[in-house]
Amino acid sequence: MEYWIIQAQENPAAPRDEPGRREWRSNTLAETLADRTHDVVRWRSAFSHQAKEFLAAGNTSQRHDNYTQRFIACPSYQRHVGPTRIRNHLALGRNFLSMARRESAPNLIHVGNVPIALAYAAVRYGKAVGCPVVVDIRDLWPDIYADLLPSRLSGWRAPTIAGLHALSFRLKWSLRNATAITALTRPYMDWALGLAARDQTDKDAIFGMCYPRHETTPPAADLEALRFRLGVTPEDQIAAYLGNIGHQSDFETVIAAARSVSDRFPHFKVVIAGSGPREDELRRIAADAPNVIVPGWLQGPEIASLLHIAQIGLIAFHPVPNYLLNIPNKFSEYLAGGLAIACGLGGEMGALIDETGCGFRYPSGDADALSGKLAALLGDPSKLEQMGAQARILHAERFDGAQVYPAFADHLEHLADSTKGQASQ
């Protein structure tokens, strides 16, 4: 059968044999379905949300691995929030419909809920041609805009969300008219079902963010090269952050805690790796903290090496619903590396940490609490090792891509098979 996997903003997939490559959800789902001899088209934006640069010139197609990658023409934008990004989203929806109408209909479409305009276009197309469409909930969009309100305006959060929902008629329509919904977590599924104004059925399913298991040790030369780049030694204890360096995380608390424990634990280092709008700002903030390293973006082999030499994984998201109700890719990535997780959140991730002992929680924004917990753990290597072992167990049981993606593909195959030949409503 033929499947269309639509997700605008994921990075293009790295080669499968690249050490430390990230298994982005839609890319790996496309690979898994194509491995089963299905014809798969992986639709994405021609503009990179992460790098803020074009990946392709207009509406183009290329063969990647065992599936077709199709880029959708759209305008650029430089800021995460603003009119130029809205223009980009609307263009993605329009151009997708224009391209799709010239294609033979697939057997099933799986589309991310962001951008809403693209999800709306996919569901419209599916209804017109009688193709089942599954909407994948990966962000509480547009509710996340209410998280941008300053604390002094917290009383406006509820009416802001109500207003956003009133304006999100395309999202509500898409969820009500989709064949099914998939989501990262139970709270995410409940949020989507609430907007769809319906109960869950056996067509809806929850598949968490997952990450491949680490089965091999990176080459010694790669480990040495990364240590040289970071300025660390094999004796150093490392707490690592991997990901976007934006406004969604409280890096100030992490840096203050690192500065606080530097005298007692001179071999402790914090590595904040990635890129984003706050990268240069963090370097300025950490200028007087020599144990904080902000190296910029790491390539796949470097990520694998960092997960190998680090002992602690940092999750410092601000405590807003989009993260409290979510278990993002970063969590499973740290688990796969056997890192003890230092988490400034309760919610879904905090509950798993409490349940399994794979790390510790600290109150968001409390640098003294974080430094105290870090000091206690750094002074107790056996406890640190125990948390790392629990992290690997949790990964194997619930977040291993080798188990999650086949189950995900099974579900989509069942939906495609059970709805085959149905007419549009």
Side-chain angles (χ1 to χ4, degrees):
M1 290 192 282
E2 183 174 352
Y3 293 83
W4 289 0
I5 308 298
I6 308 172
Q7 214 291 327
Q9 296 173 342
E10 280 186 6
N11 284 320
R16 296 198 207 194
D17 59 356
E18 179 180 285
R21 78 153 189 165
R22 292 188 169 182
E23 284 199 354
W24 303 104
R25 182 177 176 90
S26 295
N27 293 340
T28 309
L29 184 58
E31 290 175 358
T32 304
L33 288 165
D35 285 343
R36 299 181 175 195
T37 71
H38 298 299
D39 292 324
V40 178
V41 180
R42 170 69 179 89
W43 297 75
R44 65 152 298 127
S45 170
F47 182 73
S48 169
H49 172 71
Q50 291 82 8
K52 299 295 186 294
E53 62 185 20
F54 283 101
L55 301 171
N59 299 328
T60 59
S61 297
Q62 59 182 230
R63 195 69 180 168
H64 179 85
D65 200 282
N66 55 356
Y67 59 88
T68 299
Q69 186 163 247
R70 190 153 297 164
F71 295 95
I72 308 169
C74 58
S76 65
Y77 59 90
Q78 295 303 315
R79 297 178 63 86
H80 283 16
V81 179
T84 55
R85 189 175 184 189
I86 294 173
R87 186 166 62 99
N88 169 279
H89 287 185
L90 293 174
L92 284 171
R94 288 194 307 269
N95 291 338
F96 165 78
L97 271 178
S98 177
M99 296 170 69
R101 286 166 176 161
R102 296 193 294 267
E103 304 283 338
S104 298
N107 295 96
L108 183 139
I109 296 172
H110 186 262
V111 59
N113 69 307
V114 181
I116 292 171
L118 187 54
Y120 175 69
V123 177
R124 277 185 60 193
Y125 172 82
K127 283 184 68 67
V129 301
C131 168
V133 181
V134 181
V135 177
D136 191 36
I137 307 300
R138 296 172 58 166
D139 285 287
L140 301 186
W141 189 289
D143 294 23
I144 58 174
Y145 284 112
D147 299 334
L148 301 177
L149 291 171
S151 57
R152 68 179 183 278
L153 298 178
S154 59
W156 284 91
R157 177 177 172 77
T160 298
I161 289 177
L164 290 168
H165 285 183
L167 295 171
S168 299
F169 61 93
R170 287 185 176 88
L171 175 61
K172 292 179 180 178
W173 185 92
S174 300
L175 294 172
R176 287 170 184 163
N177 287 275
T179 309
I181 296 170
T182 55
L184 299 182
T185 63
R186 164 53 56 192
Y188 269 34
M189 176 63 77
D190 291 342
W191 175 84
L193 292 171
L195 289 175
R198 68 170 177 83
D199 295 328
Q200 185 170 347
T201 74
D202 60 359
K203 293 181 180 179
D204 307 311
I206 297 167
F207 297 100
M209 282 290 199
C210 53
Y211 201 78
R213 69 190 70 163
H214 288 269
E215 297 181 318
T216 59
T217 299
D222 288 357
L223 296 174
E224 183 179 354
L226 180 68
R227 287 193 177 104
F228 179 80
R229 176 178 174 179
L230 300 179
V232 301
T233 70
E235 291 73 35
D236 286 331
Q237 294 173 295
I238 296 173
Y241 170 91
L242 281 163
N244 180 269
I245 302 180
H247 298 278
Q248 74 274 38
S249 292
D250 174 21
F251 295 112
E252 287 84 350
T253 294
V254 171
I255 293 171
R259 188 184 293 116
S260 177
V261 301
S262 60
D263 290 340
R264 284 175 291 169
F265 299 95
H267 286 290
F268 176 63
K269 303 291 192 300
V270 169
V271 177
I272 302 175
S275 62
R278 299 195 66 200
E279 186 178 342
D280 291 337
E281 178 189 357
L282 286 198
R283 291 195 178 99
R284 291 194 296 272
I285 294 172
D288 65 341
N291 62 338
V292 177
I293 303 156
V294 186
W297 184 259
L298 300 184
Q299 301 301 320
E302 293 176 311
I303 291 172
S305 294
L306 180 56
L307 290 172
H308 183 78
I309 66 174
Q311 294 79 38
I312 300 170
L314 296 166
I315 293 179
F317 294 123
H318 290 293
V320 297
N322 197 51
Y323 298 117
L324 288 168
L325 304 181
N326 191 13
I327 302 177
N329 191 65
K330 196 181 315 299
F331 187 83
S332 58
E333 186 173 21
Y334 295 158
L335 295 180
L339 275 60
I341 295 181
C343 182
L345 294 175
E348 296 293 294
M349 287 183 282
L352 276 176
I353 290 171
D354 291 345
E355 175 189 338
T356 64
C358 65
F360 66 84
R361 294 195 290 124
Y362 65 92
S364 178
D366 191 334
D368 290 338
L370 176 56
S371 63
K373 287 180 178 287
L374 284 172
L377 196 56
L378 294 170
D380 188 350
S382 64
K383 182 64 174 178
L384 183 58
E385 185 176 344
Q386 180 185 353
M387 286 183 174
Q390 289 301 120
R392 291 190 186 278
I393 291 171
L394 179 57
H395 176 264
E397 291 178 347
R398 295 187 52 177
F399 295 97
D400 186 356
Q403 299 179 36
V404 175
Y405 285 113
F408 206 155
D410 287 345
H411 182 70
L412 296 187
E413 285 177 331
H414 175 72
L415 288 176
D417 189 62
S418 63
T419 56
K420 192 186 301 183
Q422 291 184 5
S424 60
Q425 300 179 359

